[in-house]
């Protein structure tokens, strides 16, 4: 599904100095779902665009049957090294999030985390991503999606697109994410840091529940 051009762009962006390097700290919202006062019971989780594995490894450490998928081979290699260091064994798969069925990703996922994957997909990959994710999600599953509304290269994502595409899901919450919080998850060059501090990328977090 991902064209050669898309794969090349993703790999270049991953290695770019403008791409935030993961600090390894899970998103506050993921921690809230896993450890908060209304914590979900451990189940099966899917981390899309898992990068260096900060969420897949975190979920595995907290008793979840976690699977991480990323298109970039170097990112998956880093995630596997992180998992070994942390003493856990999530499934970590190098592949296309628009072709999850071909990758052998298990279904029945109670939680799906997308911390910066969907917002970079071209339209035709989004067309495939939504039914694939829906098929692999258990009834009542939660989808936590973090994306930039603005970006000079990536397409970005906004609430109206999510509600239009995810017809079998209900949007529970949409909230703007402060640049200071974003900078805790990824460490980049000074120009990138200033951009997040000034809110140029307009990051948002969405929580959806599968209803059918």
């Amino acid at each position: 599904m991902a064209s050669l051009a898309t794969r090349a762009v993703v790999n270049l962006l991953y290695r770019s100095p403008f791409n935030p390097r993961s600090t390894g700290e899970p998103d506050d919202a993921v921690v809230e779902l896993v450890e908060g006062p209304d914590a979900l019971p451990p189940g099966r989780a899917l981390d899309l665009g898992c990068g260096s594995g900060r969420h897949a490894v975190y979920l595995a450490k907290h008793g979840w049957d976690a699977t991480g998928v990323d298109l970039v081979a170097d990112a998956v290699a880093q995630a596997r090294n992180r998992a070994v260091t942390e003493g856990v064994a999530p499934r970590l798969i190098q592949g296309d999030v628009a072709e999850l069925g071909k990758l052998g990703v298990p279904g029945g996922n109670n939680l799906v985390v997308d911390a910066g994957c969907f917002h970079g997909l071209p339209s035709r990959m989004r067309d495939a991503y939504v039914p694939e994710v829906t098929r692999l999600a258990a009834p009542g599953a939660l989808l936590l999606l973090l994306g930039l509304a603005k970006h000079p290269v990536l397409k970005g994502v906004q609430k109206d697109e999510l509600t239009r595409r995810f017809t079998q899901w209900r949007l529970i919450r949409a909230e703007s994410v402060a640049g200071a919080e974003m900078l805790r998850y990824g460490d980049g060059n000074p120009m990138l840091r200033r951009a997040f501090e000034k809110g140029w990328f307009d990051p948002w977090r969405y929580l959806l529940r599968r209803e059918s």
Side-chain angles (χ1 to χ4, degrees):
M1 175 64 68
S3 66
L4 290 175
T6 297
R7 291 175 185 270
V9 169
V10 169
N11 278 277
L12 284 172
L13 285 173
Y14 184 79
R15 294 175 176 83
S16 167
F18 296 100
N19 181 44
R21 300 298 180 221
S22 172
T23 59
E25 184 176 353
D27 286 11
D28 288 355
V30 175
V31 175
E32 180 70 15
L33 290 174
V34 173
E35 300 185 64
D38 298 315
L40 300 171
R44 183 167 286 172
L46 180 57
D47 180 11
L48 297 171
C50 67
S52 60
R54 63 192 180 100
H55 287 128
V57 169
Y58 167 78
L59 288 161
K61 288 178 67 176
H62 285 80
W64 287 74
D65 178 5
T67 300
V69 179
D70 202 286
L71 190 63
V72 179
D74 287 351
V76 176
Q78 291 180 40
R80 289 171 178 160
N81 289 336
R82 184 193 296 270
V84 170
T85 300
E86 297 288 344
V88 293
R91 298 177 199 85
L92 296 167
I93 303 170
Q94 192 265 319
D96 189 339
V97 296
E99 297 182 323
L100 297 173
K102 295 181 179 180
L103 301 177
V105 175
N109 289 280
N110 311 101
L111 175 63
V112 181
V113 177
D114 179 332
C117 178
F118 184 87
H119 73 179
L121 300 179
S123 293
R124 62 184 182 80
M125 290 183 68
R126 297 182 187 204
D127 292 341
Y129 171 110
V130 174
E132 285 283 273
V133 170
T134 301
R135 180 178 61 82
L136 295 175
L142 294 177
L143 166 60
L144 185 67
L145 190 150
L146 177 67
L148 306 179
K150 304 172 185 176
H151 196 277
V153 178
L154 304 177
K155 184 178 179 181
V157 61
Q158 297 187 13
K159 181 174 72 173
D160 60 347
E161 180 182 4
L162 291 181
T163 55
R164 175 172 55 83
R165 286 186 178 274
F166 286 86
T167 57
Q168 293 178 264
W169 300 70
R170 178 170 60 89
L171 180 65
I172 298 174
R173 186 166 67 243
E175 57 187 2
S176 178
V177 182
E181 180 185 340
M182 291 292 293
L183 288 170
R184 295 213 324 274
Y185 309 143
D187 200 6
N189 67 22
M191 184 182 296
L192 184 66
R193 295 185 67 85
R194 284 196 296 272
F196 272 117
E197 288 167 354
K198 292 179 178 295
W200 292 352
F201 295 140
D202 194 15
W204 282 74
R205 181 181 286 122
Y206 305 94
L207 183 65
L208 301 93
R209 184 185 301 279
R210 185 184 171 190
E211 294 200 315
S212 61

